[in-house]
Amino acid sequence: EEVYHKHLDAEIVINTSPVGMYPKNDAAPIDLRLFHCCEAVLDVVYNPITTKLCYTAKQLGLIHANGLEMLIAQAKYAVEHFLHQKIDDQIIETIYQKLLRDKINIVLIGMPSAGKTTIGRLLAKQMQKPFVDMDERIVAQAGKSIPQIFAEHGERGFRAYETQIAMQLAKQENSVIACGGGIVKYDVNMEMLGQNSIVIYLERDPANLSSNDPTRPLSSSKEAVEKMYRERLPLYLQYSDITVKNAEEPAVVAENCVQQIDAYIAKR
């Protein structure tokens, strides 16, 4: 109450509380959207990698950092103090990037039939991470096929299952996750998945997308796919950290993903 009453003009916000730490990933200490003068956010929480507070900062275009690098630096300085030895500061960045690559999820978004599952399996193998197909998880949890879910509960019912799975997967680390094409339709899905992830938009020419697949209820015709593409493209671009075009052999596309992931981590 004091913060909202007296400090909405803050230019820098630093969270030193455990609010937003795993397993309560969906919590934030403040509503950052009310701080119209804010320019930068530091959250000392390091699990998840991007807390809800930092995710909001990212969406608002603010400078933001989490607590993982601070945790590593803290350990480095403690070793120096207790063992009476000097360690080059570069080790902080080296360990940070290694931990980030090991811990981070890779989330693939894009249109139905864009190749998310095929590329995802190859990417998981290359990065030595487990692979998760969200649609398979939804089928397993619902106990029925996706066409059955749509027939019995409509798209709204399917999206409810999707959000449940997204919230479960958001709390795990070190996986490659292939999402359904409509995952971006609900901000809560991307907010949760984005907390421990680098999000890749797998782009594919609309002319090469499937338009008559009985397992994909919303891809009933070429016109339906083109309309869906126009509606979802801004969302894919909004929620992705990296865009990779799927226009080559799957192994080449997967390698392109790895290279862009490494480049993204190096700049993070």
Side-chain angles (χ1 to χ4, degrees):
E1 290 179 3
E2 181 184 344
V3 167
Y4 291 131
H5 181 62
K6 297 182 179 179
H7 303 297
L8 289 179
D9 61 344
E11 296 174 353
I12 300 173
V13 171
I14 304 172
N15 175 40
T16 61
S17 80
V19 177
M21 183 177 285
Y22 174 87
K24 297 182 179 180
N25 299 37
D26 57 345
I30 57 170
D31 185 350
L32 196 59
R33 293 167 296 182
L34 301 176
F35 292 76
H36 301 296
C37 298
C38 187
E39 297 178 19
V41 174
L42 172 63
D43 197 333
V44 302
V45 173
Y46 52 85
N47 183 10
I49 293 168
T50 303
T51 57
K52 183 172 183 177
L53 182 68
C54 279
Y55 181 86
T56 303
K58 179 181 177 181
Q59 293 299 303
L60 294 173
L62 305 179
I63 297 168
H64 60 282
N66 77 332
L68 182 59
E69 192 168 7
M70 186 181 108
L71 180 74
I72 297 163
Q74 188 173 269
K76 182 258 191 189
Y77 295 130
V79 169
E80 288 183 324
H81 177 76
F82 288 109
L83 299 185
H84 307 290
Q85 63 185 57
K86 181 66 180 172
I87 303 172
D88 194 301
D89 284 344
Q90 180 58 39
I91 198 170
I92 299 171
E93 181 66 20
T94 300
I95 294 174
Y96 173 71
Q97 290 193 23
K98 183 182 185 305
L99 275 179
L100 198 57
R101 197 181 196 276
D102 289 347
K103 289 167 65 69
I104 202 102
N105 292 325
I106 308 301
V107 170
L108 297 174
I109 61 173
M111 285 288 289
S113 75
K116 300 183 294 292
T117 299
T118 300
I119 303 303
R121 291 187 189 280
L122 291 169
L123 187 57
K125 187 175 181 180
Q126 286 195 39
M127 298 191 72
Q128 298 182 320
K129 294 175 181 283
F131 175 73
V132 179
D133 186 305
M134 278 195 67
D135 282 350
E136 289 181 0
R137 287 286 183 95
I138 291 169
V139 168
Q141 185 153 316
K144 55 190 75 173
S145 69
I146 290 175
Q148 283 180 300
I149 297 172
F150 269 83
E152 295 176 19
H153 307 287
E155 184 178 359
R156 183 181 294 272
F158 175 79
R159 298 299 171 202
Y161 279 115
E162 192 172 55
T163 296
Q164 288 177 25
I165 299 299
M167 295 184 77
Q168 293 169 18
L169 294 176
K171 296 184 180 183
Q172 71 180 49
E173 299 174 343
N174 192 37
S175 299
V176 174
I177 302 169
C179 300
I183 190 76
V184 293
K185 293 182 70 172
Y186 292 87
D187 181 68
V188 64
N189 296 338
M190 299 312 300
E191 178 181 309
M192 295 304 295
L193 287 172
Q195 289 189 347
N196 274 323
S197 304
I198 295 172
V199 180
I200 298 177
Y201 166 42
L202 197 61
E203 182 184 12
R204 194 171 197 179
D205 190 319
N208 296 326
L209 297 173
S210 174
S211 59
N212 189 21
D213 186 343
T215 67
R216 303 178 191 275
L218 299 181
S219 301
S220 57
S221 67
K222 184 178 180 181
E223 291 72 24
V225 170
E226 288 176 349
K227 181 175 182 292
M228 192 191 310
Y229 177 81
R230 290 193 299 271
E231 291 172 349
R232 293 181 181 178
L233 179 60
L235 297 174
Y236 292 142
L237 296 174
Q238 174 186 339
Y239 289 118
S240 58
D241 301 304
I242 297 168
T243 296
V244 176
K245 193 166 184 65
N246 184 8
E248 301 178 82
E249 289 296 315
V252 175
V253 177
E255 180 58 35
N256 289 342
C257 289
V258 173
Q259 291 176 7
Q260 292 208 43
I261 289 165
D262 288 341
Y264 181 84
I265 289 174
K267 292 188 294 186
R268 184 158 170 155

